């Protein structure tokens, strides 16, 4: 299990403030080596604090390739699996200026395992990257054009670096977070 490769103490991290709200993580996979959900919850809470989130109600569901591929077709009309799908459950009139987040993230464990193996880092770090990516979407970031893509992925790596993980996305891009 990869959960033994994490920052030793949260002392170097921002105070994650239990008061900011709920983060519920569910495993919807049968796996003998499940990801460390306590680590993920703590790191997502710290990431939200770094990003200035004042209030959060976030569901995180970890699924396999089959479930993710089905969601990808059902909701985005795209064949095949993907790393993360984000559902913004906030009021449609909310422009995220108040830093309140309400949503669901679906993270693909199989994709995380493949990417983590290719990049030689822990699966939990890859899942954390996906969660931060989804959180940024919920805060209004987008990655559909090259400039927004670069901005969003640079912000992911800034947050991961602040968490003591380091620039996960930049490593896959050959050292450039764009």
């Amino acid at each position: 299990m990869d959960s033994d490769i994490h920052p030793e103490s949260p002392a170097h991290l921002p105070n994650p403030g239990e008061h900011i709200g709920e983060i519920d993580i569910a495993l919807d996979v049968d796996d003998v080596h499940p990801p460390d959900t306590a680590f993920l919850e703590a790191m997502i809470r710290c990431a939200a604090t770094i990003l200035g989130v004042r209030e959060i109600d976030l569901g995180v569901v970890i699924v396999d390739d089959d479930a993710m591929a089905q969601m990808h077709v059902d909701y985005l009309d795209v064949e095949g699996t993907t790393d993360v799908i984000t559902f913004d459950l906030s009021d449609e009139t909310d422009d995220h200026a108040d830093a309140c987040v309400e949503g669901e993230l679906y993270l693909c464990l199989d994709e995380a395992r493949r990417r983590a193996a290719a990049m030689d880092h822990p699966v939990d770090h890859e899942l954390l990257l996906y969660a931060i990516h989804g959180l940024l979407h919920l805060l209004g970031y987008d990655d559909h054009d090259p400039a927004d893509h670069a901005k969003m992925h640079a912000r992911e790596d800034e947050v991961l670096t602040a968490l003591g993980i380091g620039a996960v996305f930049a490593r896959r891009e050959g050292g450039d977070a764009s």
Side-chain angles (χ1 to χ4, degrees):
M1 178 144 78
D2 296 311
S3 62
D4 60 337
I5 307 173
H6 301 302
E8 290 297 318
S9 166
H12 72 284
L13 300 176
N15 181 355
E18 296 289 329
H19 65 279
I20 69 168
E22 295 294 320
I23 298 173
D24 295 310
I25 299 179
L27 291 172
D28 193 14
V29 293
D30 291 323
D31 199 282
V32 295
H33 299 292
D36 185 345
T37 57
F39 165 79
L40 289 172
E41 181 182 346
M43 291 295 109
I44 293 167
R45 191 171 295 282
C46 288
T49 301
I50 290 166
L51 291 167
V53 172
R54 290 186 310 104
E55 188 176 329
I56 192 166
D57 185 2
L58 185 66
V60 179
V61 183
I62 299 171
V63 299
D64 63 16
D65 274 335
D66 291 338
M68 186 61 87
Q70 187 62 55
M71 290 178 64
H72 211 194
V73 167
D74 290 348
Y75 295 101
L76 299 169
D77 201 26
V78 176
E79 293 287 330
T81 193
T82 189
D83 49 5
V84 58
I85 295 179
T86 303
F87 295 95
D88 189 341
L89 303 177
S90 64
D91 182 344
E92 289 181 20
T93 62
D94 185 4
D95 65 359
H96 305 290
D98 59 0
C100 294
V101 170
E102 183 178 1
E104 287 185 350
L105 308 178
Y106 288 81
L107 314 180
C108 185
L109 181 58
D110 294 327
E111 181 66 16
R113 285 216 165 101
R114 286 188 293 272
R115 295 299 299 174
M119 300 307 300
D120 196 29
H121 62 243
V123 171
D124 292 338
H125 292 187
E126 189 71 18
L127 287 169
L128 180 58
L129 169 66
Y130 301 169
I132 292 169
H133 185 85
L135 186 57
L136 286 170
H137 274 305
L138 293 173
L139 288 167
Y141 283 73
D142 205 349
D143 58 353
H144 292 292
D145 69 51
D148 288 342
H149 178 272
K151 180 179 176 184
M152 185 171 188
H153 292 297
R155 188 66 176 130
E156 289 166 1
D157 280 341
E158 288 172 11
V159 173
L160 288 163
T161 298
L163 292 172
I165 304 295
V168 173
F169 188 82
R171 284 188 294 227
R172 90 172 31 140
E173 295 294 302
D176 178 11
S178 61

